[in-house]
Amino acid sequence: MSMNKSIFEENESSVRSYCRKYPVVFEKAKGSYIYDGDGNAYLDFLAGCGALNYGHNNDEIKGAVIDYLMNDNITHAMDMYTEAKAEFIDTFKKDILEPRGLEYRIMFCGSTGTNAVEAALKLCRKNKKRSNIIAFMGAFHGMTLGSLALTTDRVSRDGAGVSLDNVTFVPYETGFHTKLDSLDYLETIISDDHSGVEKPAAVFLETVQAEGGINVASVEWLKKLEKLCHDNDILLVVDDIQVGCSRTGTFFSFERAGIKPDMVTLSKSIGGYGFPMSLLLIKDELDIWKPAEHNGTFRGNQVAFVAAKKAIEFNVKHDLNAAVTKKGEIVKEFVEKNIFPLDDKISLRGLGLIWGIDFGKLENGGEIAHKIADKCFEEKMIIERAGRGDSVLKILPPLTISEEELKKGLEIILKCTKEVLGK
Ligand SMILES: Cc1ncc(COP(=O)(O)O)c(C=O)c1O
C-alpha cells in the first residue's frame, strides 16, 4: 500500500538526504530490486552505498540469521566472548586473511564505518606520538569529527562547526592535478625542513576513491606509496569501507597491488545483510590499546556476526571475485561502445563493480549527471552521483546482480543519457 510522505517531511530532520533523491516510500527488497508500496520495482544501482554487496535479503544469509534468532541465541553482548563472534573470527581468518598471507588482529568497533576510521586515527597517533595525518584530496572517510577532518567535500565539512585540524591534504594520483607527481610532492613535504608540514603519523588511503568520483589509483602508485610510508616511518591505513568486500574483484581492494597496509578499515558489506558492523584490522605490533581505551555499546552486533560469517562463505562458495571481474568487463564494454559515441568529453573510470561515468568535462556536467540520475529514477532505477560537482554517475550495483539485470540497468543509463544530451 502506498504511504503518504508527509510523516517524514513534517517530523524527520532536514538532514535527510537520499529520500530527497528517491522520493517514494519503500517497502520490500529482493536481490537487485527494491519495491515501493505500490509494487513498483526499482533496479538498485546504489546497493546501500556498498553495504549490500550480497544483494537484498540474500536467501543463504537470511537462513543463517533466522536460525540464529529462532534459537534465542544472544543478540547483544557488547564485546563479551560469544560463539557467534568466535565463528566469525574463525571464518574470516581461514577464508580471508590466511589465503592472502595477511596477519591482523581484529578490533570490533562501533557499528558504522566512521567509528573504525576514528579508532584507526587514535591508534596511529598513539603509536607514533604524532598528530598530523596525510589524507588525499577527494577523500571520504566519514562524518564524525576525526573522520570528517580527513574528508574533503565542502558540504560535509561545513557541518562540523569546529575547525578540522591535524590533517595535511595531498593530491591523489589521478584526476585534478595532471601536472603534479603527488608522491614526489608528498615525499618533498615530509623531508623538506622548510615545508611547514609536521611529520605525519599515518597516511589514510582509499585505493579507489568512491565518493570522490571513482578515482582508481594505479598499482605502481600504490606500491610506491607503501614504500614511501615504510621508508619514512609513517603508517599506511587503507580505508576499505566502500571498496572492500570484493567490490573491486578482490576481497580487499589493495590486493591488486600486493601491498600490506598497517591497518585496514572495513564496514558496509562486511555485515553481509545490510547489518551494521565495522572492523579495524591492526598489525600485531601496533595493537597497543589499553583495555577499553576505545569502546562502545554496539561493538559486535551478534546478528551481524552470523550474517558476516555466512556472507564470507557465500563469497567463497560462489567465487564472487571472478563474477565481479567478469561483470566489470560488461560495464566497460557497454559504456565504451554505446555511451562514449554520444560525446567525446564523457569518460569512464573504475574496476570490478564500481564505475563512474564522468560528465565533468561537459559544460554543466554536474547538472547533466543530475538530470540523468533523475531520469533513471523515473525509469525505475536508483543511481547516485559522486565526485567534483557531483558530475560522475556512479555505478554500484549489488555484486550478485545477474548479467541481464546489469545490462538492463546500463540500457536505462544509455536511454536517459541520450535524452538528456538530446541525442
Ligand atoms: C571510504 C569510506 N570510509 C568511511 C565511510 C563512512 O562509513 P559510515 O557511513 O558507515 O560511517 C564511508 C561511507 O560512505 C566510505 O565510503
Side-chain angles (χ1 to χ4, degrees):
M1 196 190 75
S2 70
M3 198 186 216
N4 196 330
K5 293 192 292 287
S6 61
I7 183 139
F8 309 106
E9 288 156 4
E10 287 164 16
N11 296 285
E12 200 182 340
S13 163
S14 61
V15 78
R16 62 195 192 280
S17 62
Y18 287 106
C19 50
R20 297 177 192 270
K21 298 174 190 169
Y22 319 113
V24 295
V25 182
F26 293 106
E27 194 182 36
K28 285 176 176 281
K30 191 74 190 164
S32 305
Y33 284 95
I34 57 181
Y35 300 86
D36 68 16
D38 293 322
N40 291 306
Y42 296 80
L43 188 54
D44 187 0
F45 264 40
L46 175 58
C49 217
L52 291 160
N53 284 6
Y54 301 98
H56 294 269
N57 288 306
N58 180 303
D59 284 325
E60 291 184 40
I61 305 175
K62 181 167 71 180
V65 169
I66 288 174
D67 286 350
Y68 188 79
L69 291 173
M70 291 308 282
N71 284 315
D72 283 341
N73 287 306
I74 189 160
T75 56
H76 186 272
M78 291 169 296
D79 72 344
M80 289 187 272
Y81 296 148
T82 65
E83 283 187 17
K85 181 155 72 176
E87 286 183 19
F88 168 75
I89 294 173
D90 188 52
T91 305
F92 188 70
K93 269 188 80 170
K94 280 199 189 122
D95 286 353
I96 302 297
L97 294 181
E98 285 172 8
R100 292 164 177 80
L102 296 171
E103 278 181 37
Y104 290 114
R105 283 197 165 263
I106 306 168
M107 173 178 175
F108 295 102
C109 305
S111 49
T112 62
T114 195
N115 200 270
V117 175
E118 295 287 350
L121 275 170
K122 283 191 196 172
L123 193 56
C124 288
R125 287 172 170 149
K126 188 175 162 67
N127 266 283
K128 294 297 170 193
K129 299 188 175 51
R130 297 175 215 137
S131 56
N132 195 26
I133 302 287
I134 299 290
F136 292 99
M137 295 176 186
F140 186 92
H141 294 286
M143 296 296 257
T144 49
L145 290 177
S147 311
L148 191 55
L150 308 172
T151 292
T152 53
D153 83 89
R154 287 207 178 114
V155 175
S156 303
R157 292 176 72 87
D158 281 352
V162 293
S163 59
L164 297 167
D165 301 324
N166 296 311
V167 178
T168 301
F169 287 104
V170 169
Y172 199 62
E173 180 190 18
T174 54
F176 306 89
H177 300 270
T178 46
K179 294 196 183 95
L180 186 79
D181 178 336
S182 58
L183 293 188
D184 182 49
Y185 174 72
L186 177 56
E187 195 151 34
T188 307
I189 61 170
I190 290 167
S191 56
D192 175 11
D193 63 354
H194 276 57
S195 73
V197 175
E198 303 293 331
K199 182 164 178 170
V203 172
F204 276 61
L205 167 74
E206 293 162 276
T207 68
V208 178
Q209 290 187 329
E211 300 305 311
I214 326 299
N215 303 312
V216 184
S218 71
V219 164
E220 298 70 41
W221 190 83
L222 292 170
K223 282 182 191 295
K224 208 169 151 192
L225 177 60
E226 182 189 51
K227 183 169 183 316
L228 191 157
C229 288
H230 188 258
D231 291 351
N232 289 281
D233 184 34
I234 295 165
L235 299 172
L236 178 62
V237 181
V238 168
D239 180 346
D240 243 2
I241 287 169
Q242 186 157 164
V243 298
C245 299
S246 295
R247 175 57 61 184
T248 64
T250 49
F251 188 84
F252 294 108
S253 72
F254 53 84
E255 285 174 50
R256 69 193 161 95
I259 60 173
K260 292 195 172 163
D262 297 295
M263 296 184 201
V264 183
T265 57
L266 277 181
S267 186
K268 295 196 189 262
S269 279
I270 191 68
Y273 202 72
F275 291 149
M277 178 167 167
S278 85
L279 301 181
L280 177 62
L281 304 178
I282 309 164
K283 278 192 179 163
D284 193 48
E285 66 276 16
L286 300 173
D287 186 30
I288 58 166
W289 289 118
K290 294 200 183 95
E293 212 172 10
H294 185 91
N295 64 25
T297 310
F298 288 104
R299 276 169 303 157
N301 176 319
Q302 305 302 312
V303 186
F305 287 148
V306 174
K309 170 184 184 275
K310 199 70 194 172
I312 290 169
E313 287 168 356
F314 179 96
N315 190 321
V316 173
K317 178 174 148 196
H318 295 281
D319 199 359
L320 202 58
N321 290 319
V324 166
T325 304
K326 184 164 174 241
K327 288 175 214 172
E329 286 304 313
I330 293 175
V331 176
K332 186 166 183 286
E333 264 173 43
F334 183 94
V335 173
E336 286 175 356
K337 184 165 165 231
N338 300 290
I339 296 186
F340 279 5
L342 300 179
D343 194 304
D344 60 10
K345 293 202 185 83
I346 298 173
S347 59
L348 177 76
R349 295 183 294 274
L351 78 168
L353 270 178
I354 178 162
W355 292 89
I357 306 177
D358 192 350
F359 296 91
K361 292 218 169 69
L362 278 74
E363 203 180 323
N364 299 327
E367 221 172 281
I368 289 169
H370 192 167
K371 283 187 184 153
I372 297 170
D374 284 354
K375 275 210 177 295
C376 287
F377 186 66
E378 283 167 26
E379 296 289 328
K380 307 276 181 292
M381 185 169 91
I382 289 174
I383 189 160
E384 166 72 315
R385 293 170 296 132
R388 267 82 171 180
D390 266 349
S391 58
V392 180
L393 208 59
K394 185 178 174 198
I395 298 175
L396 197 83
L399 305 183
T400 51
I401 192 168
S402 71
E403 291 185 12
E404 284 101 74
E405 289 164 344
L406 184 61
K407 285 176 192 158
K408 181 178 167 190
L410 293 167
E411 290 289 353
I412 294 175
I413 295 173
L414 175 62
K415 176 172 184 272
C416 297
T417 307
K418 277 184 175 167
E419 278 175 30
V420 171
L421 296 180
K423 304 275 166 129

